[in-house]
């Protein structure tokens, strides 16, 4: 009988919904029931109180000039990303993205009319992006520099000092947008909080952040995200949402508001919950044959593990990577193929799973990886 699959591939954690969020959503629905009234419809950009609370949180993180008018509440972070990209990009625009990075960006950029160009970074240097490398890679038709911080899948966090060095380059390109995906900002184990792009100087008003509530605030399944952009761009995105979609339902925004107001406490609890499984996964990987030194990921709830030593030398790298992932899947462990993120032979492993499942997954992986490479 085949083993029940264990997924280390999911982008969602095994987190309980924060009680404050549940209570806020329930209260919004109770008010409707009590008054026998229709459910209110939110403005397309989101409830003013939620937009204000988000702006205040960015101000607390050092982005002191951010206002509620720059915040747009969206039906999930992907919806916000696509709306932004659709407003930013012109047909054929070049989008430069350091990789490894989230596999979903490729399709979003393509559907918005852009052309995604990867900028491969090396695991050996902990995915460092040097300013001189960035300057060399920026082309006259590069419209957007796209990063994620913390990075999915690597867990790499770019510090404020690193951001400042990169932005010293981008400021020489006044038509270049810089977009930071910060959806994992609350899942961080480093000595300092994850910096937001919005807290750094933006002389050309070209910095944009996309985030959401499903990762750092445990509202997976609620379908709510947000973005922060210069006012004109935020208004254009709002107009697009009004014309093509719908606002986030009011009870969901009530939950998001409560979570925003308790963001630090919620994220702190999630990180505490993750510490045990994080160490279990790191220890398990270090015990594998010929394990390379693992740089502990500072953010997210993933480890991007180097399994290149198990790739078949008879196949091209991408095909060999897919074969390895299939072998792990046949043993009952689902993982994300690093080739989809720009790094064949690596696998993204989530540790936001129950401890027992993680331990069993490591046993199953050990069984597959103990076999000689075909």
């Amino acid at each position: 009988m085949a083993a029940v699959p264990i997924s280390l591939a999911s982008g969602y954690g095994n987190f309980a919904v924060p009680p404050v969020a549940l209570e806020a959503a329930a209260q919004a629905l109770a008010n409707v029931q009590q008054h026998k009234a229709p459910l209110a419809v939110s403005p397309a950009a989101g409830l003013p109180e939620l937009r204000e609370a988000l702006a205040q949180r960015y101000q607390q993180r050092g982005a002191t000039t951010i206002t509620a008018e720059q915040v747009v509440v969206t039906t999930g972070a992907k919806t916000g990303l696509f709306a932004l990209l659709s407003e930013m990009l012109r047909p054929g625009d070049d989008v430069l993205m350091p990789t490894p990075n989230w596999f979903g960006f490729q399709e979003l950029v393509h559907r918005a009319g852009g052309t995604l160009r990867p900028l491969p970074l090396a695991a050996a240097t902990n995915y460092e992006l040097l300013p001189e490398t960035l300057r060399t890679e920026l082309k006259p038709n590069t419209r957007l520099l796209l990063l994620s911080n913390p990075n999915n899948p690597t867990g790499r966090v770019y510090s404020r000092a690193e951001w400042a060095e990169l932005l010293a380059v981008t400021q020489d390109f006044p038509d270049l947008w810089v977009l930071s995906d910060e959806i994992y900002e609350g899942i961080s184990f480093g000595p300092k909080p994850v910096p937001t792009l919005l807290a750094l100087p933006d002389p050309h008003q070209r910095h944009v952040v996309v985030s959401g509530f499903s990762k750092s605030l445990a509202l997976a399944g609620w379908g709510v995200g947000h973005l922060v952009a210069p006012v004109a761009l935020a208004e254009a995105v709002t107009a697009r949402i009004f014309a093509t979609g719908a606002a986030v339902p009011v009870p969901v925004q009530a939950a998001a508001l409560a979570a925003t107001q308790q963001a630090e406490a919620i994220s702190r609890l999630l990180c505490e919950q993750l510490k045990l499984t994080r160490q279990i996964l790191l220890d398990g990987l270090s015990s594998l044959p010929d394990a390379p030194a693992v740089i502990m990921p500072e953010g997210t709830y993933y480890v991007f593990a180097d399994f290149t030593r198990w790739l078949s030398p008879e196949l091209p790298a991408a095909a060999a990577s897919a074969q390895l992932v299939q072998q792990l899947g046949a043993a009952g462990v689902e993982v994300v193929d690093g080739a989809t993120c720009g790094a064949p032979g690596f696998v993204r492993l989530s540790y936001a799973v129950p401890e027992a499942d993680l331990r069993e997954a490591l046993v199953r992986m050990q069984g597959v990886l103990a076999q000689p490479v075909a």
Side-chain angles (χ1 to χ4, degrees):
M1 183 176 178
V4 176
I6 297 172
S7 178
L8 306 185
S10 176
Y12 301 110
N14 62 324
F15 307 131
V17 178
V20 291
L22 286 172
E23 292 163 8
Q27 186 59 55
L29 291 171
N31 290 341
V32 171
Q33 183 178 38
Q34 179 182 353
H35 296 98
K36 296 184 172 59
L39 186 63
V41 176
S42 166
L47 294 175
E49 54 268 40
L50 176 54
R51 297 171 72 194
E52 181 61 39
L54 288 165
Q56 289 180 8
R57 183 148 191 272
Y58 281 105
Q59 291 167 15
Q60 293 163 1
R61 295 176 62 203
T64 56
T65 63
I66 295 300
T67 65
E69 289 72 27
Q70 295 174 254
V71 179
V72 182
V73 180
T74 59
T75 51
K78 276 194 286 189
T79 297
L81 268 169
F82 184 60
L84 267 176
L85 293 170
S86 299
E87 291 297 326
M88 287 176 172
L89 300 180
R90 302 160 299 199
D93 272 346
D94 178 65
V95 177
L96 181 64
M97 184 178 75
T99 57
N101 216 325
W102 177 55
F103 49 79
F105 285 129
Q106 175 76 45
E107 186 70 10
L108 287 167
V109 169
H110 171 72
R111 288 183 177 274
T115 301
L116 191 68
R117 179 164 55 94
L119 171 55
L121 304 178
T125 59
N126 192 24
Y127 308 104
E128 182 180 18
L129 176 55
L130 297 174
E132 53 267 32
T133 302
L134 176 60
R135 187 177 292 278
T136 300
E137 292 292 334
L138 290 173
K139 310 298 182 185
N141 70 327
T142 305
R143 180 74 166 170
L144 172 65
L145 173 63
L146 176 56
L147 299 99
S148 54
N149 196 37
N151 176 272
N152 169 14
T154 68
R156 173 67 145 89
V157 171
Y158 292 91
S159 68
R160 184 184 177 92
E162 288 176 307
W163 262 126
E165 290 183 340
L166 297 175
L167 297 177
V169 175
T170 62
Q171 70 180 3
D172 293 340
F173 298 81
D175 294 329
L176 177 72
W177 290 102
V178 181
L179 193 158
S180 178
D181 172 5
E182 299 180 359
I183 196 167
Y184 290 94
E185 61 88 9
I187 307 296
S188 173
F189 302 91
K192 295 181 180 179
V194 176
T196 176
L197 170 63
L198 301 173
L200 287 109
D202 183 9
H204 305 298
Q205 294 297 292
R206 307 292 278 185
H207 294 176
V208 179
V209 161
V210 172
S211 191
F213 298 81
S214 61
K215 316 296 186 182
S216 300
L217 295 178
L219 289 182
W222 289 68
V224 57
H226 73 271
L227 60 91
V228 186
V231 171
L233 180 57
E235 290 176 346
V237 169
T238 299
R240 176 177 287 272
I241 291 171
F242 181 78
T244 63
V248 177
V250 167
V252 173
Q253 291 196 60
L257 174 60
T260 299
Q261 293 169 335
Q262 298 293 323
E264 298 298 329
I266 292 171
S267 293
R268 193 181 309 116
L269 283 174
L270 299 187
C271 290
E272 284 297 320
Q273 177 182 331
L274 289 166
K275 281 183 178 178
L276 175 61
T277 50
R278 181 172 187 258
Q279 195 60 52
I280 289 170
L281 180 54
L282 290 168
D283 290 345
L285 292 173
S286 68
S287 70
L288 293 174
D290 302 318
V294 177
I295 298 175
M296 295 183 67
E298 191 176 326
T300 75
Y301 36 73
Y302 309 120
V303 174
F304 201 48
D306 182 354
F307 283 6
T308 54
R309 59 199 183 278
W310 287 294
L311 293 185
S312 170
E314 305 300 321
L315 295 174
S321 191
Q323 180 189 68
L324 177 61
V325 169
Q326 289 168 0
Q327 290 169 340
L328 292 169
V333 184
E334 298 170 353
V335 303
V336 172
D337 185 348
T340 66
C341 306
F346 284 69
V347 294
R348 192 191 77 177
L349 307 170
S350 171
Y351 53 86
V353 297
E355 178 186 348
D357 287 354
L358 183 57
R359 291 188 184 277
E360 174 60 23
L362 285 166
V363 170
R364 295 178 186 181
M365 284 197 295
Q366 183 86 267
V368 173
L369 301 176
Q371 304 301 317
V373 176

